Amino acid sequence: MKISTKGRYGLTIIIALGKEYGEGPLPLRKIAAEHDLSEAYLEQLVAPLRNAGLVKSVRGAYGGYMLSRHPKEISAGDVIRVLEGPIQPVEGIEDEDQPQRELWIRIRDAVKNVLDTTTIEDLANQQESTTENYMFYI
């Protein structure tokens, strides 16, 4: 299964909103600027997230987007399903021979488990990885 830019950038939006949860609406232009992404593209992605009830919008000068639920109540799987559709490693699993079908089902279930047990709160609380200046000797 390959997650497209829709899923990746959608998670970026949701994680940014999760980091600001409880602090009011966050404009998409701020998320776009911080992550060097197209604001217009983020606008296209936030519409299905709003329709699915994951985010809500606030209009006005201090408007923007907010999570509609607490970050611990939204999983990465919720976001990926809205933007990417069902989680499946291959199309037509039912047409496969039994050994392959079992493998694809195990892979699908493992990916679902990781996405469904990883909350936006988990992702928002992870520290940005900092690059340390390491010296390696050979």
Side-chain angles (χ1 to χ4, degrees), residues 29-125:
R29 90 177 142 276
K30 183 175 180 186
I31 298 171
E34 287 177 359
H35 297 278
D36 196 28
L37 301 172
S38 162
E39 183 180 351
Y41 188 50
L42 296 186
E43 284 284 353
Q44 292 176 11
L45 297 179
V46 82
L49 296 171
R50 187 180 62 245
N51 292 339
L54 297 178
V55 300
K56 56 186 174 182
S57 60
V58 176
R59 293 180 175 252
Y62 299 103
Y65 291 90
M66 309 177 347
L67 293 181
S68 58
R69 300 189 308 247
H70 194 281
K72 70 180 173 190
E73 298 173 2
I74 302 172
S75 72
D78 295 333
V79 178
I80 296 301
R81 282 185 191 88
V82 167
L83 296 172
E84 300 282 352
I87 297 165
Q88 54 187 15
V90 294
E91 298 287 332
I93 290 176
E94 60 279 349
D95 297 333
E96 296 283 340
D97 292 334
Q98 185 63 27
Q100 291 97 326
R101 184 177 327 125
E102 291 299 319
L103 174 65
W104 301 137
I105 289 171
R106 286 177 45 213
I107 292 170
R108 180 200 62 202
D109 292 347
V111 171
K112 278 184 177 181
N113 183 50
V114 170
L115 291 173
D116 290 339
T117 59
T118 304
T119 67
I120 299 308
E121 183 177 63
D122 297 334
L123 297 171
N125 289 336

